[in-house]
């Protein structure tokens, strides 16, 4: 599994813009209501970790998938799962949305 620091995320997304990367947020709906990350040049897809196995068909197999959660634990599990199930370009965001809030956008609420 490949990992990205939040400071690398925007550059990564920009470098892969032609492939239309997917920002896969695996948090629960109540978490998304508190703090959602929407970045230009990405397709945002919100699938809670517990629903992933039944919703795999929603994921593209021809674009990078960048997994995100609160602190990076769930997204790391999801990224490993996807890689194990044949998705080639899967990345995990280290520290999750909390790290994004601390390092990149302090206006994004922490919880």
């Amino acid at each position: 599994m490949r990992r990205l620091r939040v400071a690398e995320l925007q550059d990564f997304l920009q470098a892969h813009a032609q492939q239309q990367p997917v920002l896969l947020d695996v948090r629960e709906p109540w978490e998304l209501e508190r703090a959602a990350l929407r970045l230009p040049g990405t397709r945002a897809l919100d699938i809670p970790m517990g629903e992933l196995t039944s919703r795999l068909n929603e994921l593209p197999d021809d674009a990078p998938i960048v997994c995100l959660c609160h602190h990076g634990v769930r997204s790391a599990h999801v990224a490993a799962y996807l890689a194990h199930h044949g998705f080639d370009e899967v990345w995990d965001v280290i520290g999750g949305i909390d790290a994004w809030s601390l390092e990149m956008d302090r206006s994004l609420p922490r919880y």
Side-chain angles (χ1 to χ4, degrees):
M1 164 185 38
R2 294 170 269 189
R3 305 187 83 194
L4 293 167
R5 295 185 190 322
V6 291
E8 301 168 320
L9 182 56
Q10 287 182 309
D11 288 340
F12 172 86
L13 295 173
Q14 190 173 31
H16 292 82
Q18 292 287 341
Q19 296 171 284
Q20 294 184 316
V22 171
L23 185 60
L24 175 61
D25 198 321
V26 299
R27 294 176 297 144
E28 297 297 319
W30 69 267
E31 293 176 284
L32 293 168
E33 288 176 16
R34 291 190 178 196
L37 184 60
R38 301 294 186 243
L39 298 173
T42 63
R43 294 179 280 172
L45 187 55
D46 305 325
I47 302 177
M49 183 176 167
E51 296 177 16
L52 185 69
T53 57
S54 65
R55 295 177 63 185
L56 278 179
N57 63 328
E58 295 178 39
L59 296 173
D61 56 7
D62 61 346
I65 300 172
V66 179
C67 302
L68 177 77
C69 69
H70 188 197
H71 289 291
V73 175
R74 286 175 283 179
S75 61
H77 287 290
V78 166
Y81 177 86
L82 293 176
H84 180 74
H85 283 82
F87 289 87
D88 293 329
E89 288 201 58
V90 180
W91 301 80
D92 173 47
V93 177
I94 299 168
I97 193 102
D98 194 58
W100 184 269
S101 179
L102 287 170
E103 298 176 32
M104 304 302 293
D105 183 2
R106 291 220 175 241
S107 70
L108 193 66
R110 293 183 69 212
Y111 64 97

